[in-house]
Amino acid sequence: MILIGLYDGQGLEDEPDECKVSYTRQTADTFVRVLLLRGRLQGAVLVGDTDLEEVLENLILSGIDLSRYGPEMLDPEVDLEDYFD
């Protein structure tokens, strides 16, 4: 299990709920949940071999607005590294 950033929304309690969104992807052997605040990635929970650790960490650090991608950002057919390399 890998926990990145504000994976559980800690410190974001005072933010309006409508500004926070989380997306989840679960397969037989992996689980990914990301938390966005105003379209910017704040944290992630990764279980299993997802190969998303580095790209999600870089997305948190860069502060890129991801709102246009929505839940498709976790689509297993989409390679996030290709978009944000």
Side-chain angles (χ1 to χ4, degrees), residues 14-59:
D14 294 336
E15 296 291 340
D17 286 340
E18 60 270 8
C19 294
K20 297 182 274 189
V21 65
S22 84
Y23 301 122
T24 303
R25 177 185 86 195
Q26 186 171 0
T27 65
D29 43 343
T30 64
F31 174 85
V32 178
R33 184 182 70 214
V34 296
L35 175 65
L36 288 85
L37 175 66
R38 295 185 186 91
R40 287 164 174 71
L41 189 62
Q42 300 297 306
V45 175
L46 308 169
V47 179
D49 187 19
T50 63
D51 293 327
L52 293 173
E53 301 86 1
E54 188 174 335
V55 70
L56 292 178
E57 183 178 5
N58 288 333
L59 286 171

Side-chain angles (χ1 to χ4, degrees), residues 56-73:
L56 292 178
E57 183 178 5
N58 288 333
L59 286 171
I60 290 171
L61 294 172
S62 69
I64 295 173
D65 185 355
L66 302 170
S67 55
R68 68 180 175 150
Y69 297 101
E72 288 80 32
M73 69 181 284

